[in-house]
Amino acid sequence: MKNKIIMILLMCWTSISWAKMPDDGDPPSISSFYYNGGSLVVGEQVTLRWFSHGADECRLIAGGNVMSVPVSGSKAVTVTSSNMTFKLDCMNLYGNAVRTI
């Protein structure tokens, strides 16, 4: 019984030690970036949502407008063009990550 407990503890420790968490020297990553709609209709609002790891700051570029935003969250944006693009740029001391929709 004692050997089984030691084996289970060893397996748990091994699986935890292999889990990759951002180090201090890693650039940020963006795990999700999307909006709540289908087609873009000029004059209507869409809600953009995102989640990043290891970022110190993020900027959202929507139709040429640059906004400072939290590293994870959401933002309502008014659509100004039917082919409008949204770009999320998250940065830290070691690099940046960019996603465009």
Side-chain angles (χ1 to χ4, degrees):
M1 182 68 175
K2 182 179 176 184
N3 289 341
K4 286 184 181 181
I5 292 173
I6 291 172
M7 184 62 104
I8 290 172
L9 290 174
L10 182 62
M11 288 178 6
C12 291
W13 178 80
T14 303
S15 65
I16 290 171
S17 67
W18 281 95
K20 176 71 172 119
M21 295 300 289
D23 288 334
D24 288 336
D26 288 344
S29 64
I30 300 170
S31 60
S32 66
F33 180 47
Y34 61 95
Y35 69 95
N36 66 329
S39 60
L40 299 174
V41 178
V42 175
E44 292 190 359
Q45 284 195 338
V46 294
T47 301
L48 299 161
R49 290 178 170 70
W50 63 92
F51 190 78
S52 67
H53 303 277
D56 293 331
E57 65 176 304
C58 290
R59 290 189 192 124
L60 176 65
I61 299 117
N65 297 324
V66 180
M67 301 165 261
S68 288
V69 293
V71 295
S72 295
S74 64
K75 177 93 174 157
V77 176
T78 302
V79 177
T80 58
S81 170
S82 60
N83 61 352
M84 189 173 177
T85 59
F86 307 102
K87 180 178 174 182
L88 182 66
D89 186 4
C90 294
M91 299 148 271
N92 70 11
L93 184 62
Y94 303 101
N96 71 324
V98 178
R99 278 264 188 99
T100 304
I101 52 174

